[in-house]
Coordinates of all heavy atoms in Angstrom, one line a residue:
M22 N -6.8 2.0 21.9 CA -6.5 2.6 20.7 C -5.0 2.9 20.5 O -4.4 3.4 21.5 CB -7.3 4.0 20.7 CG -7.0 4.9 19.5 SD -7.8 6.4 19.6 CE -9.5 6.0 19.2
R23 N -4.5 2.6 19.3 CA -3.1 2.8 19.1 C -2.9 3.9 18.2 O -3.3 4.0 17.1 CB -2.5 1.5 18.5 CG -1.0 1.5 18.4 CD -0.6 0.1 17.9 NE 0.8 0.1 17.6 CZ 1.8 -0.1 18.4 NH1 1.5 -0.4 19.6 NH2 3.0 -0.1 18.0
V24 N -2.1 4.9 18.7 CA -1.8 6.1 17.9 C -0.3 6.1 17.7 O 0.5 6.1 18.6 CB -2.3 7.4 18.6 CG1 -1.9 8.6 17.8 CG2 -3.8 7.3 19.0
T25 N 0.1 6.2 16.4 CA 1.5 6.2 16.1 C 1.9 7.5 15.4 O 1.2 7.9 14.5 CB 1.8 5.0 15.1 OG1 1.2 3.8 15.7 CG2 3.2 4.8 14.9
I26 N 2.9 8.1 15.9 CA 3.4 9.4 15.3 C 4.8 9.1 14.6 O 5.7 8.6 15.3 CB 3.5 10.5 16.3 CG1 2.2 10.7 17.0 CG2 4.0 11.8 15.7 CD1 2.0 10.1 18.3
C27 N 4.9 9.5 13.4 CA 6.2 9.3 12.7 C 7.2 10.2 13.3 O 7.0 11.4 13.4 CB 6.0 9.6 11.2 SG 7.5 9.4 10.3
I28 N 8.4 9.6 13.6 CA 9.5 10.4 14.0 C 10.7 10.3 13.1 O 11.8 10.6 13.4 CB 10.0 10.0 15.5 CG1 10.2 8.5 15.5 CG2 8.9 10.4 16.5 CD1 10.9 8.0 16.8
G29 N 10.4 10.0 11.8 CA 11.4 10.0 10.8 C 11.9 11.4 10.5 O 11.2 12.4 11.0
S30 N 13.0 11.6 9.8 CA 13.6 12.9 9.7 C 12.7 14.0 9.1 O 12.6 15.1 9.6 CB 14.9 12.9 9.0 OG 14.8 12.1 7.8
A31 N 11.9 13.6 8.0 CA 11.1 14.6 7.4 C 10.0 15.1 8.3 O 9.7 16.3 8.5 CB 10.4 14.1 6.1
C32 N 9.4 14.1 9.0 CA 8.3 14.5 10.0 C 8.8 15.2 11.2 O 8.2 16.1 11.7 CB 7.5 13.3 10.4 SG 6.5 12.6 9.0
H33 N 10.0 14.8 11.6 CA 10.7 15.5 12.7 C 10.8 17.0 12.4 O 10.5 17.9 13.2 CB 12.0 14.9 13.0 CG 12.8 15.6 14.1 ND1 12.5 15.3 15.4 CD2 13.7 16.5 14.1 CE1 13.3 16.1 16.1 NE2 14.0 16.8 15.4
L34 N 11.2 17.3 11.2 CA 11.4 18.7 10.8 C 10.1 19.4 10.7 O 10.0 20.6 10.9 CB 12.1 18.8 9.4 CG 13.5 18.4 9.3 CD1 14.1 18.4 7.9 CD2 14.4 19.3 10.2
K35 N 9.0 18.7 10.5 CA 7.7 19.3 10.4 C 7.0 19.4 11.7 O 5.8 19.7 11.8 CB 6.8 18.6 9.4 CG 7.3 18.8 8.0 CD 6.5 18.1 7.0 CE 7.0 18.3 5.5 NZ 6.4 17.4 4.6
G36 N 7.7 19.0 12.8 CA 7.1 19.2 14.1 C 6.5 18.0 14.8 O 5.7 18.1 15.7
S37 N 7.0 16.8 14.4 CA 6.4 15.6 15.1 C 6.7 15.6 16.6 O 5.8 15.1 17.3 CB 7.0 14.3 14.4 OG 8.3 14.2 14.6
R38 N 7.8 16.1 17.0 CA 8.1 16.1 18.4 C 7.0 17.0 19.2 O 6.6 16.6 20.3 CB 9.5 16.7 18.7 CG 10.0 16.5 20.1 CD 11.3 17.1 20.2 NE 12.3 16.3 19.7 CZ 13.5 16.2 20.2 NH1 13.8 16.8 21.4 NH2 14.4 15.4 19.7
E39 N 6.7 18.1 18.6 CA 5.7 18.9 19.2 C 4.3 18.3 19.2 O 3.6 18.4 20.2 CB 5.6 20.2 18.4 CG 5.0 21.4 19.1 CD 4.8 22.6 18.2 OE1 5.8 22.8 17.3 OE2 3.8 23.3 18.3
I40 N 4.0 17.5 18.2 CA 2.7 16.8 18.1 C 2.7 15.8 19.2 O 1.7 15.6 20.0 CB 2.5 16.2 16.7 CG1 2.2 17.3 15.7 CG2 1.3 15.2 16.8 CD1 2.1 16.8 14.3
I41 N 3.8 15.0 19.4 CA 3.8 14.0 20.4 C 3.6 14.7 21.8 O 2.8 14.2 22.6 CB 5.2 13.2 20.4 CG1 5.2 12.4 19.1 CG2 5.3 12.3 21.6 CD1 6.6 11.8 18.8
A42 N 4.3 15.8 22.0 CA 4.2 16.4 23.3 C 2.8 16.9 23.6 O 2.3 16.7 24.7 CB 5.2 17.6 23.4
Q43 N 2.2 17.5 22.6 CA 0.8 17.9 22.8 C -0.1 16.7 23.0 O -1.0 16.8 23.9 CB 0.3 18.6 21.5 CG 0.8 20.0 21.3 CD 0.1 20.7 20.2 OE1 -1.1 20.8 20.1 NE2 0.9 21.3 19.3
L44 N 0.0 15.7 22.3 CA -0.9 14.5 22.5 C -0.7 13.9 23.9 O -1.6 13.5 24.5 CB -0.6 13.4 21.4 CG -1.1 13.8 20.0 CD1 -0.7 12.7 19.0 CD2 -2.6 14.0 20.0
Q45 N 0.6 13.9 24.3 CA 0.8 13.3 25.6 C 0.1 14.1 26.7 O -0.5 13.6 27.6 CB 2.4 13.3 25.9 CG 3.1 12.1 25.3 CD 4.6 12.2 25.4 OE1 5.1 13.3 25.5 NE2 5.2 11.1 25.2
T46 N 0.2 15.4 26.6 CA -0.5 16.3 27.5 C -2.0 16.1 27.5 O -2.6 16.0 28.5 CB -0.1 17.8 27.2 OG1 1.3 17.9 27.2 CG2 -0.7 18.7 28.2
L47 N -2.5 16.1 26.3 CA -4.0 15.9 26.1 C -4.5 14.6 26.7 O -5.5 14.5 27.4 CB -4.4 16.0 24.7 CG -4.3 17.4 24.1 CD1 -4.3 17.4 22.5 CD2 -5.3 18.4 24.6
V48 N -3.7 13.5 26.4 CA -4.1 12.2 26.9 C -4.1 12.2 28.5 O -5.0 11.7 29.1 CB -3.1 11.1 26.4 CG1 -3.2 9.8 27.1 CG2 -3.4 10.9 24.9
K49 N -3.1 12.9 29.0 CA -3.0 12.9 30.5 C -4.1 13.7 31.1 O -4.8 13.3 32.0 CB -1.6 13.6 30.9 CG -0.7 12.6 31.5 CD 0.3 13.2 32.3 CE 1.4 12.1 32.6 NZ 2.5 12.2 31.7
E50 N -4.4 14.9 30.5 CA -5.4 15.8 31.0 C -6.8 15.1 31.0 O -7.6 15.3 31.9 CB -5.6 17.0 30.0 CG -4.6 18.1 30.4 CD -4.7 19.2 29.3 OE1 -5.6 19.2 28.5 OE2 -3.8 20.1 29.3
Q51 N -7.0 14.2 30.0 CA -8.3 13.5 29.9 C -8.3 12.2 30.6 O -9.2 11.4 30.5 CB -8.7 13.3 28.4 CG -8.6 14.6 27.6 CD -9.9 15.4 27.7 OE1 -10.9 14.9 28.1 NE2 -9.8 16.7 27.3
H52 N -7.2 11.9 31.2 CA -7.0 10.6 32.0 C -7.3 9.4 31.0 O -8.0 8.4 31.4 CB -8.0 10.5 33.2 CG -7.9 11.7 34.1 ND1 -6.7 11.9 34.9 CD2 -8.7 12.7 34.3 CE1 -6.9 13.1 35.5 NE2 -8.1 13.6 35.2
L53 N -6.6 9.4 29.9 CA -6.8 8.4 28.9 C -5.6 7.5 28.8 O -5.5 6.7 27.8 CB -7.2 9.0 27.5 CG -8.5 9.8 27.5 CD1 -8.6 10.4 26.1 CD2 -9.7 8.8 27.7
D54 N -4.7 7.5 29.7 CA -3.5 6.7 29.6 C -3.7 5.3 29.3 O -3.0 4.6 28.6 CB -2.6 6.9 30.9 CG -2.4 8.3 31.1 OD1 -3.3 9.0 31.6 OD2 -1.2 8.8 30.9
D55 N -4.8 4.7 29.9 CA -5.0 3.3 29.7 C -5.8 3.0 28.5 O -6.0 1.8 28.1 CB -5.8 2.7 31.0 CG -7.0 3.5 31.3 OD1 -7.1 4.7 30.9 OD2 -7.9 2.9 31.9
K56 N -6.3 4.0 27.8 CA -7.1 3.8 26.6 C -6.3 4.2 25.3 O -6.6 3.6 24.2 CB -8.4 4.7 26.6 CG -9.3 4.3 27.7 CD -10.7 4.6 27.3 CE -11.8 4.1 28.2 NZ -12.2 5.1 29.2
V57 N -5.4 5.1 25.4 CA -4.7 5.6 24.2 C -3.2 5.2 24.4 O -2.6 5.7 25.3 CB -4.9 7.1 24.0 CG1 -4.1 7.6 22.8 CG2 -6.3 7.5 23.9
D58 N -2.8 4.5 23.4 CA -1.4 4.0 23.4 C -0.6 4.8 22.4 O -0.8 4.6 21.2 CB -1.4 2.5 23.1 CG -0.1 1.9 23.1 OD1 0.8 2.4 23.7 OD2 0.1 0.8 22.5
L59 N 0.2 5.8 22.9 CA 1.0 6.6 22.0 C 2.3 6.0 21.6 O 3.0 5.5 22.5 CB 1.2 8.0 22.6 CG 0.0 8.9 22.8 CD1 0.5 10.2 23.5 CD2 -0.6 9.3 21.5
N60 N 2.6 5.9 20.4 CA 3.9 5.3 19.9 C 4.6 6.2 18.9 O 3.9 6.9 18.2 CB 3.6 4.0 19.3 CG 3.0 3.0 20.2 OD1 3.6 2.4 21.0 ND2 1.6 2.9 20.1
G61 N 5.9 6.0 18.8 CA 6.6 6.6 17.7 C 6.9 5.6 16.6 O 6.9 4.4 16.9
S62 N 7.0 6.0 15.4 CA 7.3 5.1 14.3 C 8.4 5.7 13.4 O 8.5 6.9 13.4 CB 6.1 4.7 13.5 OG 5.8 5.7 12.6
F63 N 9.0 4.9 12.6 CA 10.0 5.4 11.6 C 9.2 5.8 10.4 O 7.9 5.7 10.4 CB 11.0 4.4 11.3 CG 11.9 4.1 12.5 CD1 11.9 3.0 13.2 CD2 12.8 5.2 13.0 CE1 12.7 2.8 14.3 CE2 13.6 5.0 14.1 CZ 13.5 3.8 14.8
C64 N 9.8 6.4 9.4 CA 9.2 6.9 8.2 C 8.1 5.9 7.7 O 8.4 4.7 7.5 CB 10.2 7.1 7.2 SG 9.5 7.7 5.6
C65 N 6.9 6.4 7.6 CA 5.9 5.5 7.1 C 5.6 5.8 5.6 O 4.6 5.4 5.0 CB 4.6 5.6 7.9 SG 4.0 7.2 8.2
G66 N 6.5 6.5 4.9 CA 6.5 6.6 3.5 C 5.6 7.7 2.9 O 5.3 7.7 1.7
D67 N 5.2 8.6 3.8 CA 4.3 9.6 3.3 C 4.8 11.0 3.7 O 4.1 11.9 4.1 CB 2.9 9.4 3.9 CG 1.8 10.2 3.2 OD1 2.0 10.5 2.0 OD2 0.8 10.6 3.9
C68 N 6.1 11.1 3.5 CA 6.9 12.3 4.0 C 6.3 13.6 3.4 O 6.2 14.6 4.1 CB 8.3 12.3 3.6 SG 9.1 10.7 4.1
V69 N 5.9 13.6 2.2 CA 5.5 14.9 1.6 C 4.3 15.5 2.3 O 4.1 16.7 2.2 CB 5.1 14.7 0.1 CG1 6.3 14.7 -0.8 CG2 4.3 13.4 -0.2
N70 N 3.5 14.7 2.9 CA 2.2 15.2 3.5 C 2.3 15.6 4.9 O 1.3 15.8 5.6 CB 1.1 14.2 3.3 CG 0.6 14.1 1.9 OD1 0.5 15.2 1.2 ND2 0.4 13.0 1.4
G71 N 3.5 15.8 5.4 CA 3.7 16.3 6.8 C 3.6 15.2 7.8 O 3.7 14.0 7.4
V72 N 3.4 15.5 8.9 CA 3.6 14.5 10.0 C 2.6 13.4 9.9 O 1.4 13.7 9.9 CB 3.6 15.2 11.4 CG1 3.8 14.1 12.4 CG2 4.7 16.3 11.5
C73 N 3.1 12.3 9.7 CA 2.3 11.1 9.5 C 1.9 10.5 10.8 O 2.7 10.1 11.6 CB 3.2 10.2 8.6 SG 2.6 8.5 8.5
V74 N 0.6 10.4 11.0 CA 0.0 9.9 12.3 C -1.0 8.8 11.9 O -1.8 9.0 11.0 CB -0.7 11.0 13.1 CG1 -1.3 10.4 14.3 CG2 0.3 12.1 13.4
T75 N -0.9 7.7 12.6 CA -2.0 6.7 12.3 C -2.8 6.4 13.6 O -2.2 6.5 14.7 CB -1.4 5.3 11.8 OG1 -0.6 4.8 12.9 CG2 -0.6 5.5 10.6
V76 N -4.1 6.2 13.4 CA -4.9 5.8 14.5 C -5.5 4.5 14.2 O -6.2 4.4 13.2 CB -6.1 6.9 14.7 CG1 -7.0 6.4 15.8 CG2 -5.5 8.3 15.0
D77 N -5.1 3.5 15.0 CA -5.5 2.1 14.7 C -5.3 1.8 13.2 O -6.2 1.2 12.5 CB -7.0 1.8 15.1 CG -7.1 1.7 16.6 OD1 -6.1 1.5 17.3 OD2 -8.2 1.9 17.1
G78 N -4.2 2.2 12.6 CA -3.8 1.8 11.3 C -4.3 2.8 10.2 O -3.9 2.7 9.1
Q79 N -5.2 3.7 10.6 CA -5.7 4.7 9.6 C -4.8 5.9 9.5 O -4.4 6.4 10.6 CB -7.1 5.1 9.9 CG -7.7 5.9 8.8 CD -9.2 6.2 9.0 OE1 -9.8 5.5 9.8 NE2 -9.7 7.2 8.3
L80 N -4.4 6.3 8.3 CA -3.4 7.3 8.2 C -3.9 8.7 8.1 O -4.9 9.0 7.4 CB -2.7 7.0 6.8 CG -1.4 7.7 6.5 CD1 -0.3 7.4 7.5 CD2 -1.0 7.4 5.1
Y81 N -3.2 9.6 8.8 CA -3.6 11.0 8.8 C -2.3 11.8 8.6 O -1.2 11.4 8.9 CB -4.2 11.5 10.1 CG -5.5 10.8 10.4 CD1 -5.5 9.6 11.1 CD2 -6.7 11.4 10.0 CE1 -6.7 9.0 11.4 CE2 -7.9 10.7 10.3 CZ -7.9 9.5 11.0 OH -9.1 8.9 11.3
S82 N -2.5 13.1 8.1 CA -1.3 14.0 8.0 C -1.6 15.2 8.9 O -2.7 15.8 8.7 CB -1.1 14.5 6.6 OG -0.8 13.4 5.7
L83 N -0.7 15.4 9.8 CA -1.0 16.4 10.8 C 0.0 17.5 10.8 O 1.2 17.3 10.5 CB -0.9 15.7 12.1 CG -1.9 16.1 13.2 CD1 -3.3 15.8 12.6 CD2 -1.7 15.3 14.4
K84 N -0.4 18.7 11.2 CA 0.5 19.8 11.5 C 0.4 20.1 13.0 O -0.7 19.8 13.5 CB 0.1 21.1 10.7 CG 0.2 21.0 9.3 CD 0.0 22.4 8.7 CE -0.1 22.4 7.2 NZ -1.5 22.6 6.7
P85 N 1.5 20.6 13.6 CA 1.4 20.8 15.0 C 0.2 21.6 15.4 O -0.5 21.3 16.4 CB 2.7 21.5 15.3 CG 3.6 21.0 14.3 CD 2.8 20.8 13.0
E86 N -0.2 22.6 14.7 CA -1.3 23.5 15.0 C -2.6 22.8 14.9 O -3.6 23.3 15.4 CB -1.2 24.8 14.3 CG -1.3 24.7 12.8 CD 0.1 24.6 12.1 OE1 1.0 24.1 12.7 OE2 0.2 25.1 11.0
D87 N -2.7 21.7 14.3 CA -4.0 21.0 14.1 C -4.1 19.9 15.2 O -5.1 19.1 15.2 CB -4.0 20.3 12.7 CG -4.0 21.3 11.6 OD1 -4.4 22.5 11.9 OD2 -3.6 20.9 10.5
T88 N -3.2 19.7 16.0 CA -3.2 18.6 17.0 C -4.4 18.6 17.9 O -5.0 17.5 18.0 CB -1.9 18.6 17.8 OG1 -0.8 18.7 17.0 CG2 -1.8 17.3 18.7
R89 N -4.8 19.7 18.4 CA -5.9 19.7 19.3 C -7.2 19.3 18.6 O -8.0 18.5 19.1 CB -6.1 21.2 19.8 CG -7.2 21.4 20.7 CD -6.9 20.8 22.1 NE -8.1 20.2 22.7 CZ -8.3 20.4 24.0 NH1 -7.5 21.0 24.8 NH2 -9.3 19.8 24.5
E90 N -7.4 19.8 17.4 CA -8.6 19.5 16.7 C -8.6 18.0 16.3 O -9.6 17.3 16.4 CB -8.6 20.3 15.4 CG -10.0 20.3 14.7 CD -9.9 21.0 13.3 OE1 -9.0 21.9 13.2 OE2 -10.6 20.6 12.4
F91 N -7.4 17.5 15.9 CA -7.3 16.1 15.6 C -7.6 15.2 16.8 O -8.3 14.2 16.7 CB -5.8 15.8 15.1 CG -5.5 14.4 15.0 CD1 -5.8 13.7 13.8 CD2 -4.8 13.7 16.0 CE1 -5.5 12.4 13.7 CE2 -4.5 12.4 15.9 CZ -4.8 11.7 14.7
F92 N -7.1 15.6 18.0 CA -7.3 14.9 19.2 C -8.8 14.8 19.5 O -9.4 13.7 19.8 CB -6.6 15.5 20.3 CG -6.8 14.8 21.7 CD1 -6.1 13.7 22.0 CD2 -7.7 15.3 22.6 CE1 -6.2 13.0 23.2 CE2 -7.9 14.7 23.8 CZ -7.2 13.5 24.1
D93 N -9.5 15.9 19.4 CA -10.9 16.0 19.8 C -11.7 15.1 18.8 O -12.6 14.3 19.2 CB -11.5 17.4 19.7 CG -10.9 18.3 20.8 OD1 -10.4 17.7 21.8 OD2 -11.1 19.5 20.7
K94 N -11.4 15.2 17.5 CA -12.2 14.5 16.5 C -11.8 13.0 16.4 O -12.7 12.2 16.5 CB -12.0 15.2 15.2 CG -13.0 14.9 14.2 CD -12.9 15.8 13.0 CE -13.4 15.2 11.7 NZ -12.8 15.6 10.5
E95 N -10.6 12.8 16.2 CA -10.2 11.4 15.8 C -9.8 10.5 17.0 O -9.8 9.3 16.9 CB -9.0 11.4 14.8 CG -9.2 12.3 13.6 CD -10.3 11.8 12.7 OE1 -10.8 10.7 12.9 OE2 -10.8 12.6 11.9
I96 N -9.5 11.1 18.1 CA -9.2 10.3 19.3 C -10.4 10.3 20.3 O -11.0 9.3 20.5 CB -7.9 10.7 20.0 CG1 -6.7 10.5 18.9 CG2 -7.6 9.9 21.2 CD1 -5.4 10.9 19.4
L97 N -10.7 11.5 20.8 CA -11.9 11.5 21.7 C -13.1 11.1 21.1 O -13.9 10.3 21.6 CB -12.1 13.0 22.2 CG -11.2 13.4 23.4 CD1 -11.7 14.8 23.8 CD2 -11.3 12.5 24.6
G98 N -13.3 11.5 19.8 CA -14.5 11.2 19.1 C -14.7 9.7 18.8 O -15.8 9.3 18.5
R99 N -13.7 8.9 19.0 CA -13.8 7.5 18.6 C -13.8 6.6 19.9 O -13.9 5.4 19.8 CB -12.6 7.1 17.8 CG -12.6 7.6 16.4 CD -11.5 6.9 15.8 NE -11.2 7.4 14.5 CZ -10.6 6.6 13.6 NH1 -10.2 5.4 14.0 NH2 -10.3 7.0 12.4
L100 N -13.6 7.2 21.0 CA -13.5 6.4 22.2 C -14.9 6.1 22.7 O -15.9 6.8 22.5 CB -12.7 7.1 23.3 CG -11.2 7.1 23.0 CD1 -10.5 8.0 24.0 CD2 -10.6 5.7 23.1
Ligands
FES217 S1 9.5 10.8 7.8 FE1 7.5 10.7 8.4 S2 6.5 9.8 6.7 FE2 8.6 9.9 6.1

């Protein structure tokens, strides 16, 4: 599964770095390093909606405080 987090300037200001750090920790905790491929991307054109994250090409808008729920639902829930 490929998960991409936007690190463009608008998303950076909205906490993309924190989201990446949280996702990295969660992936490690669950021993999913070989299943979940975390990547950064440049602006994906959806700046207004907050941190732009894609899971296998599907687009989500995330806030740092929603990362845990997102991980459980959209990442764990799909594996
Ligand atoms: S900076 Fe992330 S979508 Fe534009």
Side-chain angles (χ1 to χ4, degrees):
M22 173 185 283
R23 187 176 169 88
V24 180
T25 308
I26 301 100
C27 177
I28 52 168
S30 47
C32 290
H33 178 78
L34 290 174
K35 290 179 181 171
S37 63
R38 189 184 282 219
E39 197 184 324
I40 290 176
I41 294 172
Q43 283 191 51
L44 288 176
Q45 281 171 336
T46 305
L47 290 164
V48 165
K49 252 202 193 101
E50 275 174 12
Q51 307 278 339
H52 307 290
L53 294 173
D54 305 74
D55 54 339
K56 295 210 172 96
V57 179
D58 181 20
L59 291 176
N60 298 277
S62 77
F63 293 111
C64 179
C65 51
D67 196 27
C68 310
V69 278
N70 286 320
V72 180
C73 166
V74 176
T75 63
V76 178
D77 286 340
Q79 190 171 342
L80 189 64
Y81 297 88
S82 294
L83 218 63
K84 293 190 190 106
E86 59 267 35
D87 297 336
T88 306
R89 178 75 215 220
E90 195 187 329
F91 171 82
F92 179 80
D93 288 346
K94 197 170 155 209
E95 307 299 343
I96 297 180
L97 276 187
R99 287 187 188 204
L100 287 171

